[in-house]
Amino acid sequence: MLVQKYHCYISVMHKLLNGQNMIPLFTKLQEENYDNLAGNARDHSVSKGIVILCKDDQSSVKRYKCAPFSLFPSPITKDGFQLLTFLQPHINKLIHDVSQDDEFMSSVFQSVIKVDDFTKKLYNIYKASKTSVKQQLQLGIFRSDYMFDCVIEKNRTETNNPKQIEVNTIAASFIGLGSRINSVHCKVLKDAKMKPLTTQMPKNEALTKVAHGLVAAWETYGNSDAIVVFLVEENEANFFDQRALEYAIHEINESIIVKRKTFTELLKSIVLSSDRKITMNDEEVAVVYFRTGYTPNDYTNEQFWDVRLKLEKSCAILCPSVGYQLAGCKKMQEVLAQPNVLEKFIDDEDVVQKMRSTFAGLYALDMNSDGDNAVQMARTNPDHYVLKPQREGGGNNVYGEDIVTLLSEIGNDERRCAYILMEKICPKPLDNIFVTASGHQKVNAISEFGTYGVILTRGTEIIENYSAGHLLRSKSHEHNDGGVAAGVAVLDSPLLV
Ligand code: ADP
Ligand code: MG
């Protein structure tokens, strides 16, 4: 019975994405008892290491639980998947080229740095170190995130085209856990006797491909005694995701020494020599991979900014450099979406057109008439927009009536330049079952799809540049914001339709 019902579920998903008549997903399934399927999937996910730390646990022995995930994979259009995988190396190169263009960077950030202290600090480091690092090796591990906007056309057909939410250029997470969830979903489909559907699930090699990037950077640095440092937060819930990457590096080259360090530990131990080498307790550092440093809260001590500057002035390969970090800011996304800007950096018209097709409406709130118009649009139709500050890590965006309140409070003040306004993307919600460590529940969910990319560069030389797997996360359509770490979203994987 379950098999037939699941068939029905999948055929409904096809219809949903092909614009045919919709019937609510799971209507045939809801009486079914999912305890077994969910319980087995939970066991399987733990055995695959899809776990997070229990943060509330005070004991000194680490305790962990399974990371939240969806019981079923979620549909993504095959065309969209292929387009976004194709675009990622071009996005990698774009981020690199933008970060190398001092004049462009200065024009983009001039309004923001007047009112956003965090961006200003990053920008000042970029300016202070830029001249010394023109030929510097840099490593980017990026993730471009998208939602598939569901639009009913005039002829009543439905389209689900991907629209870029943001490009993460620092600490893009779930490379490890996200790529493993695929095997859990394959098992669920097999348990439900739906094995043929597994052929619609694309392989996800994010972990090995990103590890390859870190290994390539270490090799290019050229000192086999030098170490790789993972710069991390203390008490990080997503600890095992980071560990998975460390172990994947060792699968490729077991001689590479990886050390996990916090900002506090670097502050105490790093030395910058006159030949620009960074040493930490007398060990030379080849690569610093940031899994922290992207929010003001990560700089609890002002001296962490000195650490950042010291690293930036060194010849160690930073992942990311402060230039790459800045090039992933929301303000940059808004400027790149303006007419004729992509053309400055990308020669191939076809690539420009394809990339632009993924951009949602983006508007600056600068102190000019365009900015005034954007404010007016947002105040008139707040539900059509998202107001975004220059922050990363979830939970910072402003929605609905809160947009009106905030813009009224700011008034005609320069503080508005710290935000961008973005058209709200509305994916079609689909029913799924979310499994957590303690249970499972039915959720009407929307998904966010990300493509990872790796780029290794030396000045204008591109040493590595490739698309590196993907991530799908889903959350209840009732939540505007929030990721897996915030307990809102769950890990998912795509089923291509
Ligand atoms: P962050 O750096 O905090 O991750 P994002 O731009 O990714 O910032 O926004 C956080 C979340 O807010 C996204 O994961 C998505 O769920 C939601 N979101 C962001 N932009 C939009 C948008 N334009 N339309 C709909 N939801 C959005
Ligand atoms: Mg995000």
Side-chain angles (χ1 to χ4, degrees):
M1 267 318 272
L2 182 63
V3 176
Q4 276 171 357
K5 288 172 179 180
Y6 196 69
H7 255 307
C8 167
Y9 154 57
I10 294 301
S11 74
V12 171
M13 289 203 296
H14 273 273
K15 284 183 188 162
L16 285 174
L17 283 158
N18 289 330
Q20 297 172 24
N21 275 347
M22 284 178 270
I23 53 169
L25 190 64
F26 271 72
T27 44
K28 301 269 181 178
L29 282 174
Q30 62 197 2
E31 302 117 47
E32 203 66 47
N33 181 344
Y34 291 104
D35 285 356
N36 262 350
L37 220 45
N40 287 341
R42 192 184 294 115
D43 291 350
H44 190 211
S45 74
V46 171
S47 77
K48 288 280 169 191
I50 306 173
V51 291
I52 50 176
L53 268 190
C54 302
K55 272 190 97 167
D56 42 8
D57 191 20
Q58 301 300 315
S59 94
S60 58
V61 179
K62 279 195 191 68
R63 277 160 38 96
Y64 34 86
K65 57 184 181 185
C66 87
F69 63 94
S70 67
L71 186 56
F72 299 111
S74 294
I76 292 291
T77 64
K78 196 173 177 181
D79 289 350
F81 179 87
Q82 285 168 347
L83 171 70
L84 304 180
T85 307
F86 162 80
L87 281 177
Q88 189 56 45
H90 297 286
I91 294 173
N92 297 343
K93 172 86 166 34
L94 176 66
I95 295 287
H96 173 69
D97 289 345
V98 159
S99 78
Q100 298 291 101
D101 188 333
D102 299 9
E103 222 176 282
F104 183 71
M105 292 282 276
S106 149
S107 72
V108 170
F109 289 107
Q110 59 175 347
S111 60
V112 173
I113 57 178
K114 285 191 204 146
V115 285
D116 188 307
D117 194 48
F118 181 67
T119 311
K120 183 176 163 187
K121 282 179 166 144
L122 290 172
Y123 186 74
N124 285 346
I125 293 178
Y126 172 79
K127 290 300 276 182
S129 49
K130 197 67 198 145
T131 41
S132 63
V133 296
K134 269 279 183 224
Q135 289 309 310
Q136 175 63 40
L137 283 158
Q138 300 181 76
L139 177 67
I141 297 174
F142 304 148
R143 196 188 66 230
S144 311
D145 288 336
Y146 306 84
M147 281 176 165
F148 284 66
D149 198 27
C150 180
V151 176
I152 309 290
E153 306 290 348
K154 284 203 183 84
N155 62 4
R156 306 191 66 175
T157 57
E158 182 185 301
T159 56
N160 292 275
N161 291 324
K163 295 289 171 191
Q164 187 186 79
I165 294 291
E166 64 161 344
V167 180
N168 300 282
T169 56
I170 179 166
S173 59
F174 291 111
I175 295 157
L177 306 196
S179 57
R180 290 173 174 171
I181 200 74
N182 187 304
S183 85
V184 175
H185 282 142
C186 282
K187 180 78 165 64
V188 169
L189 293 177
K190 282 177 198 161
D191 285 353
K193 306 223 170 5
M194 298 309 314
K195 192 174 171 197
L197 280 177
T198 58
T199 57
Q200 284 172 241
M201 297 185 57
K203 258 212 309 220
N204 191 355
E205 296 176 313
L207 187 57
T208 44
K209 287 190 168 176
V210 171
H212 171 85
L214 283 155
V215 171
W218 178 86
E219 284 169 352
T220 310
Y221 184 84
N223 174 358
S224 57
D225 293 327
I227 66 169
V228 173
V229 171
F230 280 24
L231 183 55
V232 295
E233 277 168 44
E234 256 160 272
N235 199 20
E236 161 69 69
N238 209 8
F239 173 85
F240 295 98
D241 185 52
Q242 302 171 355
R243 281 293 222 191
L245 192 52
E246 184 182 330
Y247 306 145
I249 290 173
H250 289 147
E251 289 282 314
I252 302 171
N253 184 337
E254 62 184 6
S255 73
I256 300 175
I257 296 170
V258 176
K259 294 198 171 171
R260 295 172 57 82
K261 296 286 165 192
T262 60
F263 261 124
T264 306
E265 288 168 312
L266 287 200
L267 179 62
K268 283 190 200 139
S269 60
I270 59 168
V271 175
L272 175 63
S273 66
S274 56
D275 57 357
R276 296 180 52 230
K277 287 185 177 136
I278 283 280
T279 50
M280 200 180 69
N281 304 326
D282 295 331
E283 282 180 306
E284 189 172 336
V285 177
V287 181
V288 182
Y289 169 55
F290 285 71
R291 288 294 291 254
T292 183
Y294 52 91
T295 83
N297 302 342
D298 299 334
Y299 298 82
T300 47
N301 179 340
E302 270 302 298
Q303 288 177 299
F304 293 171
W305 287 107
D306 303 335
V307 170
R308 200 75 209 260
L309 180 61
K310 214 180 246 186
L311 292 176
E312 209 69 30
K313 287 188 162 172
S314 80
C315 63
I317 303 176
L318 305 183
C319 179
S321 63
V322 80
Y324 282 8
Q325 183 174 351
L326 280 167
C329 282
K330 269 85 179 171
K331 181 66 192 172
M332 181 61 80
Q333 183 187 15
E334 176 264 302
V335 173
L336 290 173
Q338 289 173 12
N340 302 319
V341 178
L342 282 185
E343 284 83 349
K344 252 174 79 74
F345 297 100
I346 303 172
D347 293 332
D348 188 331
E349 275 176 34
D350 180 53
V351 172
V352 168
Q353 180 262 321
K354 286 185 168 132
M355 200 179 286
R356 191 168 282 133
S357 77
T358 69
F359 292 169
L362 286 151
Y363 310 91
L365 299 185
D366 290 346
M367 305 309 289
N368 54 32
S369 60
D370 285 348
D372 293 344
N373 287 341
V375 168
Q376 196 47 41
M377 274 169 16
R379 291 174 66 118
T380 314
N381 277 316
D383 289 337
H384 292 186
Y385 300 99
V386 182
L387 189 62
K388 297 185 169 190
Q390 306 306 308
R391 288 290 165 275
E392 302 294 324
N396 302 298
N397 298 339
V398 186
Y399 299 86
E401 281 306 312
D402 292 344
I403 296 181
V404 181
T405 311
L406 184 78
L407 289 175
S408 303
E409 195 253 310
I410 290 177
N412 206 20
D413 185 295
E414 284 202 326
R415 278 185 295 151
R416 81 182 196 196
C417 304
Y419 296 84
I420 62 158
L421 186 70
M422 184 173 185
E423 179 192 350
K424 192 165 182 190
I425 317 299
C426 299
K428 177 183 280 302
L430 295 172
D431 281 352
N432 207 322
I433 288 168
F434 285 4
V435 183
T436 63
S438 53
H440 60 271
Q441 58 170 337
K442 192 174 145 192
V443 176
N444 194 224
I446 54 174
S447 301
E448 185 168 347
F449 178 74
T451 46
Y452 292 102
V454 170
I455 187 164
L456 177 64
T457 60
R458 186 193 280 112
T460 52
E461 182 193 356
I462 308 290
I463 301 166
E464 298 270 1
N465 182 15
Y466 52 88
S467 202
H470 57 264
L471 173 71
L472 191 71
R473 289 166 297 168
S474 294
K475 62 177 182 179
S476 162
H477 80 281
E478 287 164 7
H479 288 290
N480 279 320
D481 212 320
V484 180
V488 172
V490 301
L491 298 170
D492 199 344
S493 50
L495 186 98
L496 301 186
V497 294

